[in-house]
Amino acid sequence: GAHIVLCAPDSEFGLPELQRGFIPEAGALWRAHRRLPHNIASELLLTGRRLTAQEGLRLGFVNRIVPREQLMDAAREIAARICASAPLAVSAYLEVLEHVEGKSDRQAWETLYSGLPERARMRQSDDFHEGPRAFAEKRAAVWKGR
């Protein structure tokens, strides 16, 4: 699933599979229930009703509604902010998130400390020390990705 969702004001999101005679078997069935309240996901799947951009924003499914002509600019602005973060930390974040989603806190802690490769790479990097050092020295961090 998407980590960040931008959409135009007239965007709609739908899951019409049941009305076509089958169920979504590429993950949308359970992902809808993870991202939306159970009753809303069930309604969308069972009836084929489409989720509007405003409703998606209100439910936390959509991050931001942007005029259609500004979508790429908004996406680039978010991408630039992500790129200002330490690249190895971003990779570790995505790895950990993927492995802990849907797990209990206890299982998530165990997974976090299980030796995930991107997290280990981040913790052994120069960048891992650069961030706190730059903060203490009141300067922008200089990421090297190693």
PDB file of all heavy atoms in Angstrom, residues 41-75:
ATOM      1  N   ALA A  41     -14.832   0.027   5.309  1.00  0.00           N
ATOM      2  CA  ALA A  41     -14.237  -0.910   4.350  1.00  0.00           C
ATOM      3  C   ALA A  41     -15.277  -1.940   3.901  1.00  0.00           C
ATOM      4  O   ALA A  41     -15.380  -2.245   2.704  1.00  0.00           O
ATOM      5  CB  ALA A  41     -13.028  -1.597   4.972  1.00  0.00           C
ATOM      6  N   SER A  42     -16.040  -2.450   4.852  1.00  0.00           N
ATOM      7  CA  SER A  42     -17.067  -3.436   4.498  1.00  0.00           C
ATOM      8  C   SER A  42     -18.097  -2.841   3.552  1.00  0.00           C
ATOM      9  O   SER A  42     -18.496  -3.477   2.567  1.00  0.00           O
ATOM     10  CB  SER A  42     -17.763  -3.956   5.760  1.00  0.00           C
ATOM     11  OG  SER A  42     -16.879  -4.738   6.519  1.00  0.00           O
ATOM     12  N   GLU A  43     -18.539  -1.621   3.838  1.00  0.00           N
ATOM     13  CA  GLU A  43     -19.516  -0.979   2.955  1.00  0.00           C
ATOM     14  C   GLU A  43     -18.954  -0.802   1.546  1.00  0.00           C
ATOM     15  O   GLU A  43     -19.640  -1.094   0.555  1.00  0.00           O
ATOM     16  CB  GLU A  43     -19.930   0.382   3.521  1.00  0.00           C
ATOM     17  CG  GLU A  43     -20.932   1.100   2.638  1.00  0.00           C
ATOM     18  CD  GLU A  43     -21.228   2.525   3.078  1.00  0.00           C
ATOM     19  OE1 GLU A  43     -20.649   2.985   4.091  1.00  0.00           O
ATOM     20  OE2 GLU A  43     -22.041   3.174   2.391  1.00  0.00           O
ATOM     21  N   LEU A  44     -17.726  -0.335   1.443  1.00  0.00           N
ATOM     22  CA  LEU A  44     -17.130  -0.121   0.122  1.00  0.00           C
ATOM     23  C   LEU A  44     -17.038  -1.429  -0.648  1.00  0.00           C
ATOM     24  O   LEU A  44     -17.361  -1.485  -1.835  1.00  0.00           O
ATOM     25  CB  LEU A  44     -15.736   0.509   0.254  1.00  0.00           C
ATOM     26  CG  LEU A  44     -15.671   1.897   0.888  1.00  0.00           C
ATOM     27  CD1 LEU A  44     -14.226   2.348   1.022  1.00  0.00           C
ATOM     28  CD2 LEU A  44     -16.470   2.918   0.099  1.00  0.00           C
ATOM     29  N   LEU A  45     -16.593  -2.476   0.032  1.00  0.00           N
ATOM     30  CA  LEU A  45     -16.448  -3.769  -0.637  1.00  0.00           C
ATOM     31  C   LEU A  45     -17.800  -4.405  -0.963  1.00  0.00           C
ATOM     32  O   LEU A  45     -17.998  -4.909  -2.069  1.00  0.00           O
ATOM     33  CB  LEU A  45     -15.619  -4.715   0.237  1.00  0.00           C
ATOM     34  CG  LEU A  45     -14.118  -4.412   0.226  1.00  0.00           C
ATOM     35  CD1 LEU A  45     -13.451  -4.888   1.491  1.00  0.00           C
ATOM     36  CD2 LEU A  45     -13.481  -5.034  -1.003  1.00  0.00           C
ATOM     37  N   LEU A  46     -18.713  -4.379  -0.009  1.00  0.00           N
ATOM     38  CA  LEU A  46     -19.998  -5.066  -0.204  1.00  0.00           C
ATOM     39  C   LEU A  46     -20.935  -4.349  -1.165  1.00  0.00           C
ATOM     40  O   LEU A  46     -21.734  -4.998  -1.839  1.00  0.00           O
ATOM     41  CB  LEU A  46     -20.695  -5.269   1.147  1.00  0.00           C
ATOM     42  CG  LEU A  46     -20.031  -6.297   2.073  1.00  0.00           C
ATOM     43  CD1 LEU A  46     -20.603  -6.201   3.478  1.00  0.00           C
ATOM     44  CD2 LEU A  46     -20.171  -7.705   1.506  1.00  0.00           C
ATOM     45  N   THR A  47     -20.843  -3.023  -1.231  1.00  0.00           N
ATOM     46  CA  THR A  47     -21.788  -2.266  -2.068  1.00  0.00           C
ATOM     47  C   THR A  47     -21.174  -1.686  -3.330  1.00  0.00           C
ATOM     48  O   THR A  47     -21.907  -1.295  -4.241  1.00  0.00           O
ATOM     49  CB  THR A  47     -22.393  -1.085  -1.280  1.00  0.00           C
ATOM     50  OG1 THR A  47     -21.377  -0.109  -1.047  1.00  0.00           O
ATOM     51  CG2 THR A  47     -23.026  -1.548   0.022  1.00  0.00           C
ATOM     52  N   GLY A  48     -19.852  -1.569  -3.378  1.00  0.00           N
ATOM     53  CA  GLY A  48     -19.209  -0.940  -4.525  1.00  0.00           C
ATOM     54  C   GLY A  48     -19.194   0.579  -4.440  1.00  0.00           C
ATOM     55  O   GLY A  48     -18.748   1.258  -5.356  1.00  0.00           O
ATOM     56  N   ARG A  49     -19.702   1.127  -3.324  1.00  0.00           N
ATOM     57  CA  ARG A  49     -19.679   2.593  -3.164  1.00  0.00           C
ATOM     58  C   ARG A  49     -18.240   3.079  -3.236  1.00  0.00           C
ATOM     59  O   ARG A  49     -17.318   2.425  -2.780  1.00  0.00           O
ATOM     60  CB  ARG A  49     -20.293   2.988  -1.809  1.00  0.00           C
ATOM     61  CG  ARG A  49     -20.317   4.515  -1.604  1.00  0.00           C
ATOM     62  CD  ARG A  49     -21.006   4.905  -0.310  1.00  0.00           C
ATOM     63  NE  ARG A  49     -20.218   4.689   0.891  1.00  0.00           N
ATOM     64  CZ  ARG A  49     -19.230   5.503   1.306  1.00  0.00           C
ATOM     65  NH1 ARG A  49     -18.873   6.552   0.603  1.00  0.00           N
ATOM     66  NH2 ARG A  49     -18.589   5.230   2.443  1.00  0.00           N
ATOM     67  N   ARG A  50     -18.077   4.257  -3.815  1.00  0.00           N
ATOM     68  CA  ARG A  50     -16.742   4.839  -3.950  1.00  0.00           C
ATOM     69  C   ARG A  50     -16.476   5.815  -2.811  1.00  0.00           C
ATOM     70  O   ARG A  50     -17.369   6.530  -2.372  1.00  0.00           O
ATOM     71  CB  ARG A  50     -16.613   5.510  -5.307  1.00  0.00           C
ATOM     72  CG  ARG A  50     -16.837   4.487  -6.442  1.00  0.00           C
ATOM     73  CD  ARG A  50     -16.784   5.085  -7.818  1.00  0.00           C
ATOM     74  NE  ARG A  50     -15.469   5.573  -8.190  1.00  0.00           N
ATOM     75  CZ  ARG A  50     -14.431   4.798  -8.543  1.00  0.00           C
ATOM     76  NH1 ARG A  50     -14.570   3.496  -8.549  1.00  0.00           N
ATOM     77  NH2 ARG A  50     -13.291   5.334  -8.884  1.00  0.00           N
ATOM     78  N   LEU A  51     -15.246   5.827  -2.336  1.00  0.00           N
ATOM     79  CA  LEU A  51     -14.797   6.724  -1.273  1.00  0.00           C
ATOM     80  C   LEU A  51     -14.362   8.036  -1.907  1.00  0.00           C
ATOM     81  O   LEU A  51     -13.520   8.031  -2.808  1.00  0.00           O
ATOM     82  CB  LEU A  51     -13.623   6.072  -0.533  1.00  0.00           C
ATOM     83  CG  LEU A  51     -13.094   6.777   0.693  1.00  0.00           C
ATOM     84  CD1 LEU A  51     -14.039   6.539   1.872  1.00  0.00           C
ATOM     85  CD2 LEU A  51     -11.712   6.242   1.043  1.00  0.00           C
ATOM     86  N   THR A  52     -14.938   9.150  -1.492  1.00  0.00           N
ATOM     87  CA  THR A  52     -14.560  10.450  -2.061  1.00  0.00           C
ATOM     88  C   THR A  52     -13.249  10.935  -1.435  1.00  0.00           C
ATOM     89  O   THR A  52     -12.835  10.472  -0.375  1.00  0.00           O
ATOM     90  CB  THR A  52     -15.640  11.513  -1.794  1.00  0.00           C
ATOM     91  OG1 THR A  52     -15.705  11.756  -0.383  1.00  0.00           O
ATOM     92  CG2 THR A  52     -16.999  11.075  -2.321  1.00  0.00           C
ATOM     93  N   ALA A  53     -12.628  11.890  -2.069  1.00  0.00           N
ATOM     94  CA  ALA A  53     -11.392  12.473  -1.554  1.00  0.00           C
ATOM     95  C   ALA A  53     -11.615  13.072  -0.165  1.00  0.00           C
ATOM     96  O   ALA A  53     -10.812  12.851   0.748  1.00  0.00           O
ATOM     97  CB  ALA A  53     -10.868  13.539  -2.517  1.00  0.00           C
ATOM     98  N   GLN A  54     -12.706  13.813   0.016  1.00  0.00           N
ATOM     99  CA  GLN A  54     -12.990  14.437   1.311  1.00  0.00           C
ATOM    100  C   GLN A  54     -13.200  13.395   2.401  1.00  0.00           C
ATOM    101  O   GLN A  54     -12.712  13.551   3.521  1.00  0.00           O
ATOM    102  CB  GLN A  54     -14.220  15.355   1.216  1.00  0.00           C
ATOM    103  CG  GLN A  54     -13.943  16.722   0.641  1.00  0.00           C
ATOM    104  CD  GLN A  54     -12.975  17.532   1.489  1.00  0.00           C
ATOM    105  OE1 GLN A  54     -12.897  17.399   2.701  1.00  0.00           O
ATOM    106  NE2 GLN A  54     -12.201  18.375   0.827  1.00  0.00           N
ATOM    107  N   GLU A  55     -13.938  12.344   2.084  1.00  0.00           N
ATOM    108  CA  GLU A  55     -14.154  11.293   3.069  1.00  0.00           C
ATOM    109  C   GLU A  55     -12.830  10.588   3.382  1.00  0.00           C
ATOM    110  O   GLU A  55     -12.537  10.290   4.542  1.00  0.00           O
ATOM    111  CB  GLU A  55     -15.186  10.287   2.543  1.00  0.00           C
ATOM    112  CG  GLU A  55     -15.581   9.253   3.554  1.00  0.00           C
ATOM    113  CD  GLU A  55     -16.644   8.298   3.034  1.00  0.00           C
ATOM    114  OE1 GLU A  55     -16.901   8.252   1.812  1.00  0.00           O
ATOM    115  OE2 GLU A  55     -17.227   7.584   3.870  1.00  0.00           O
ATOM    116  N   GLY A  56     -12.021  10.345   2.364  1.00  0.00           N
ATOM    117  CA  GLY A  56     -10.716   9.727   2.569  1.00  0.00           C
ATOM    118  C   GLY A  56      -9.834  10.565   3.471  1.00  0.00           C
ATOM    119  O   GLY A  56      -9.131  10.041   4.339  1.00  0.00           O
ATOM    120  N   LEU A  57      -9.874  11.887   3.296  1.00  0.00           N
ATOM    121  CA  LEU A  57      -9.102  12.794   4.155  1.00  0.00           C
ATOM    122  C   LEU A  57      -9.605  12.723   5.588  1.00  0.00           C
ATOM    123  O   LEU A  57      -8.820  12.590   6.539  1.00  0.00           O
ATOM    124  CB  LEU A  57      -9.194  14.223   3.617  1.00  0.00           C
ATOM    125  CG  LEU A  57      -8.397  15.276   4.364  1.00  0.00           C
ATOM    126  CD1 LEU A  57      -6.903  15.049   4.207  1.00  0.00           C
ATOM    127  CD2 LEU A  57      -8.766  16.673   3.852  1.00  0.00           C
ATOM    128  N   ARG A  58     -10.912  12.784   5.755  1.00  0.00           N
ATOM    129  CA  ARG A  58     -11.509  12.740   7.092  1.00  0.00           C
ATOM    130  C   ARG A  58     -11.192  11.437   7.821  1.00  0.00           C
ATOM    131  O   ARG A  58     -10.957  11.422   9.022  1.00  0.00           O
ATOM    132  CB  ARG A  58     -13.023  12.934   6.973  1.00  0.00           C
ATOM    133  CG  ARG A  58     -13.749  13.005   8.318  1.00  0.00           C
ATOM    134  CD  ARG A  58     -15.231  13.301   8.169  1.00  0.00           C
ATOM    135  NE  ARG A  58     -15.958  12.401   7.288  1.00  0.00           N
ATOM    136  CZ  ARG A  58     -16.333  11.157   7.606  1.00  0.00           C
ATOM    137  NH1 ARG A  58     -16.043  10.661   8.788  1.00  0.00           N
ATOM    138  NH2 ARG A  58     -17.003  10.414   6.753  1.00  0.00           N
ATOM    139  N   LEU A  59     -11.107  10.335   7.092  1.00  0.00           N
ATOM    140  CA  LEU A  59     -10.851   9.029   7.693  1.00  0.00           C
ATOM    141  C   LEU A  59      -9.361   8.726   7.843  1.00  0.00           C
ATOM    142  O   LEU A  59      -8.989   7.683   8.380  1.00  0.00           O
ATOM    143  CB  LEU A  59     -11.511   7.927   6.851  1.00  0.00           C
ATOM    144  CG  LEU A  59     -13.030   7.939   6.829  1.00  0.00           C
ATOM    145  CD1 LEU A  59     -13.554   6.977   5.771  1.00  0.00           C
ATOM    146  CD2 LEU A  59     -13.575   7.588   8.206  1.00  0.00           C
ATOM    147  N   GLY A  60      -8.508   9.632   7.372  1.00  0.00           N
ATOM    148  CA  GLY A  60      -7.072   9.410   7.486  1.00  0.00           C
ATOM    149  C   GLY A  60      -6.484   8.533   6.396  1.00  0.00           C
ATOM    150  O   GLY A  60      -5.321   8.152   6.460  1.00  0.00           O
ATOM    151  N   PHE A  61      -7.249   8.216   5.382  1.00  0.00           N
ATOM    152  CA  PHE A  61      -6.770   7.418   4.255  1.00  0.00           C
ATOM    153  C   PHE A  61      -5.970   8.279   3.288  1.00  0.00           C
ATOM    154  O   PHE A  61      -5.039   7.811   2.648  1.00  0.00           O
ATOM    155  CB  PHE A  61      -7.972   6.776   3.545  1.00  0.00           C
ATOM    156  CG  PHE A  61      -7.618   5.982   2.325  1.00  0.00           C
ATOM    157  CD1 PHE A  61      -7.032   4.729   2.452  1.00  0.00           C
ATOM    158  CD2 PHE A  61      -7.883   6.466   1.062  1.00  0.00           C
ATOM    159  CE1 PHE A  61      -6.696   3.993   1.332  1.00  0.00           C
ATOM    160  CE2 PHE A  61      -7.563   5.737  -0.070  1.00  0.00           C
ATOM    161  CZ  PHE A  61      -6.968   4.493   0.062  1.00  0.00           C
ATOM    162  N   VAL A  62      -6.341   9.548   3.190  1.00  0.00           N
ATOM    163  CA  VAL A  62      -5.691  10.522   2.303  1.00  0.00           C
ATOM    164  C   VAL A  62      -4.916  11.508   3.167  1.00  0.00           C
ATOM    165  O   VAL A  62      -5.434  12.001   4.166  1.00  0.00           O
ATOM    166  CB  VAL A  62      -6.757  11.269   1.448  1.00  0.00           C
ATOM    167  CG1 VAL A  62      -6.163  12.436   0.693  1.00  0.00           C
ATOM    168  CG2 VAL A  62      -7.455  10.296   0.505  1.00  0.00           C
ATOM    169  N   ASN A  63      -3.673  11.781   2.782  1.00  0.00           N
ATOM    170  CA  ASN A  63      -2.866  12.768   3.506  1.00  0.00           C
ATOM    171  C   ASN A  63      -3.274  14.193   3.172  1.00  0.00           C
ATOM    172  O   ASN A  63      -3.377  15.030   4.065  1.00  0.00           O
ATOM    173  CB  ASN A  63      -1.379  12.626   3.151  1.00  0.00           C
ATOM    174  CG  ASN A  63      -0.790  11.350   3.657  1.00  0.00           C
ATOM    175  OD1 ASN A  63      -1.063  10.287   3.117  1.00  0.00           O
ATOM    176  ND2 ASN A  63       0.012  11.439   4.693  1.00  0.00           N
ATOM    177  N   ARG A  64      -3.468  14.432   1.884  1.00  0.00           N
ATOM    178  CA  ARG A  64      -3.687  15.794   1.434  1.00  0.00           C
ATOM    179  C   ARG A  64      -4.491  15.815   0.145  1.00  0.00           C
ATOM    180  O   ARG A  64      -4.264  14.996  -0.739  1.00  0.00           O
ATOM    181  CB  ARG A  64      -2.315  16.418   1.146  1.00  0.00           C
ATOM    182  CG  ARG A  64      -2.174  17.855   1.548  1.00  0.00           C
ATOM    183  CD  ARG A  64      -0.797  18.370   1.189  1.00  0.00           C
ATOM    184  NE  ARG A  64       0.209  17.931   2.164  1.00  0.00           N
ATOM    185  CZ  ARG A  64       1.495  18.180   2.037  1.00  0.00           C
ATOM    186  NH1 ARG A  64       1.944  18.835   0.991  1.00  0.00           N
ATOM    187  NH2 ARG A  64       2.347  17.773   2.951  1.00  0.00           N
ATOM    188  N   ILE A  65      -5.410  16.758   0.043  1.00  0.00           N
ATOM    189  CA  ILE A  65      -6.139  17.005  -1.205  1.00  0.00           C
ATOM    190  C   ILE A  65      -5.526  18.256  -1.814  1.00  0.00           C
ATOM    191  O   ILE A  65      -5.429  19.289  -1.157  1.00  0.00           O
ATOM    192  CB  ILE A  65      -7.646  17.187  -0.956  1.00  0.00           C
ATOM    193  CG1 ILE A  65      -8.233  15.917  -0.336  1.00  0.00           C
ATOM    194  CG2 ILE A  65      -8.364  17.554  -2.251  1.00  0.00           C
ATOM    195  CD1 ILE A  65      -9.682  16.049   0.103  1.00  0.00           C
ATOM    196  N   VAL A  66      -5.120  18.137  -3.061  1.00  0.00           N
ATOM    197  CA  VAL A  66      -4.401  19.219  -3.739  1.00  0.00           C
ATOM    198  C   VAL A  66      -5.066  19.452  -5.094  1.00  0.00           C
ATOM    199  O   VAL A  66      -5.461  18.487  -5.756  1.00  0.00           O
ATOM    200  CB  VAL A  66      -2.922  18.796  -3.953  1.00  0.00           C
ATOM    201  CG1 VAL A  66      -2.132  19.879  -4.633  1.00  0.00           C
ATOM    202  CG2 VAL A  66      -2.270  18.403  -2.644  1.00  0.00           C
ATOM    203  N   PRO A  67      -5.190  20.707  -5.521  1.00  0.00           N
ATOM    204  CA  PRO A  67      -5.725  20.928  -6.873  1.00  0.00           C
ATOM    205  C   PRO A  67      -4.947  20.090  -7.898  1.00  0.00           C
ATOM    206  O   PRO A  67      -3.714  19.958  -7.795  1.00  0.00           O
ATOM    207  CB  PRO A  67      -5.509  22.430  -7.108  1.00  0.00           C
ATOM    208  CG  PRO A  67      -5.494  23.018  -5.722  1.00  0.00           C
ATOM    209  CD  PRO A  67      -4.849  21.970  -4.845  1.00  0.00           C
ATOM    210  N   ARG A  68      -5.668  19.506  -8.818  1.00  0.00           N
ATOM    211  CA  ARG A  68      -5.067  18.573  -9.788  1.00  0.00           C
ATOM    212  C   ARG A  68      -3.793  19.120 -10.421  1.00  0.00           C
ATOM    213  O   ARG A  68      -2.788  18.423 -10.527  1.00  0.00           O
ATOM    214  CB  ARG A  68      -6.089  18.223 -10.870  1.00  0.00           C
ATOM    215  CG  ARG A  68      -5.578  17.176 -11.848  1.00  0.00           C
ATOM    216  CD  ARG A  68      -6.677  16.650 -12.757  1.00  0.00           C
ATOM    217  NE  ARG A  68      -7.781  16.057 -12.023  1.00  0.00           N
ATOM    218  CZ  ARG A  68      -7.778  14.829 -11.496  1.00  0.00           C
ATOM    219  NH1 ARG A  68      -6.720  14.082 -11.583  1.00  0.00           N
ATOM    220  NH2 ARG A  68      -8.838  14.370 -10.861  1.00  0.00           N
ATOM    221  N   GLU A  69      -3.804  20.393 -10.792  1.00  0.00           N
ATOM    222  CA  GLU A  69      -2.628  20.971 -11.461  1.00  0.00           C
ATOM    223  C   GLU A  69      -1.435  21.153 -10.524  1.00  0.00           C
ATOM    224  O   GLU A  69      -0.325  21.414 -10.978  1.00  0.00           O
ATOM    225  CB  GLU A  69      -2.983  22.307 -12.139  1.00  0.00           C
ATOM    226  CG  GLU A  69      -3.454  23.400 -11.213  1.00  0.00           C
ATOM    227  CD  GLU A  69      -4.933  23.330 -10.844  1.00  0.00           C
ATOM    228  OE1 GLU A  69      -5.642  22.401 -11.285  1.00  0.00           O
ATOM    229  OE2 GLU A  69      -5.375  24.224 -10.098  1.00  0.00           O
ATOM    230  N   GLN A  70      -1.636  20.973  -9.224  1.00  0.00           N
ATOM    231  CA  GLN A  70      -0.541  21.102  -8.255  1.00  0.00           C
ATOM    232  C   GLN A  70      -0.092  19.762  -7.669  1.00  0.00           C
ATOM    233  O   GLN A  70       0.790  19.729  -6.799  1.00  0.00           O
ATOM    234  CB  GLN A  70      -0.975  22.036  -7.118  1.00  0.00           C
ATOM    235  CG  GLN A  70      -1.218  23.455  -7.552  1.00  0.00           C
ATOM    236  CD  GLN A  70      -1.789  24.316  -6.430  1.00  0.00           C
ATOM    237  OE1 GLN A  70      -1.682  23.975  -5.264  1.00  0.00           O
ATOM    238  NE2 GLN A  70      -2.411  25.418  -6.808  1.00  0.00           N
ATOM    239  N   LEU A  71      -0.667  18.664  -8.143  1.00  0.00           N
ATOM    240  CA  LEU A  71      -0.343  17.351  -7.578  1.00  0.00           C
ATOM    241  C   LEU A  71       1.144  17.013  -7.690  1.00  0.00           C
ATOM    242  O   LEU A  71       1.759  16.578  -6.713  1.00  0.00           O
ATOM    243  CB  LEU A  71      -1.174  16.255  -8.244  1.00  0.00           C
ATOM    244  CG  LEU A  71      -2.572  16.054  -7.689  1.00  0.00           C
ATOM    245  CD1 LEU A  71      -3.381  15.115  -8.584  1.00  0.00           C
ATOM    246  CD2 LEU A  71      -2.526  15.513  -6.270  1.00  0.00           C
ATOM    247  N   MET A  72       1.730  17.187  -8.864  1.00  0.00           N
ATOM    248  CA  MET A  72       3.145  16.834  -9.033  1.00  0.00           C
ATOM    249  C   MET A  72       4.039  17.731  -8.188  1.00  0.00           C
ATOM    250  O   MET A  72       5.024  17.259  -7.602  1.00  0.00           O
ATOM    251  CB  MET A  72       3.551  16.879 -10.496  1.00  0.00           C
ATOM    252  CG  MET A  72       3.029  15.696 -11.302  1.00  0.00           C
ATOM    253  SD  MET A  72       3.410  14.061 -10.593  1.00  0.00           S
ATOM    254  CE  MET A  72       5.172  14.036 -10.665  1.00  0.00           C
ATOM    255  N   ASP A  73       3.709  19.013  -8.108  1.00  0.00           N
ATOM    256  CA  ASP A  73       4.502  19.912  -7.264  1.00  0.00           C
ATOM    257  C   ASP A  73       4.421  19.485  -5.800  1.00  0.00           C
ATOM    258  O   ASP A  73       5.425  19.477  -5.087  1.00  0.00           O
ATOM    259  CB  ASP A  73       4.035  21.360  -7.414  1.00  0.00           C
ATOM    260  CG  ASP A  73       4.392  21.955  -8.769  1.00  0.00           C
ATOM    261  OD1 ASP A  73       5.320  21.445  -9.427  1.00  0.00           O
ATOM    262  OD2 ASP A  73       3.731  22.934  -9.163  1.00  0.00           O
ATOM    263  N   ALA A  74       3.238  19.123  -5.351  1.00  0.00           N
ATOM    264  CA  ALA A  74       3.067  18.685  -3.958  1.00  0.00           C
ATOM    265  C   ALA A  74       3.824  17.382  -3.716  1.00  0.00           C
ATOM    266  O   ALA A  74       4.476  17.222  -2.678  1.00  0.00           O
ATOM    267  CB  ALA A  74       1.585  18.511  -3.639  1.00  0.00           C
ATOM    268  N   ALA A  75       3.761  16.464  -4.665  1.00  0.00           N
ATOM    269  CA  ALA A  75       4.491  15.194  -4.527  1.00  0.00           C
ATOM    270  C   ALA A  75       5.996  15.438  -4.494  1.00  0.00           C
ATOM    271  O   ALA A  75       6.714  14.837  -3.684  1.00  0.00           O
ATOM    272  CB  ALA A  75       4.123  14.256  -5.669  1.00  0.00           C
TER     273      ALA A  75
END
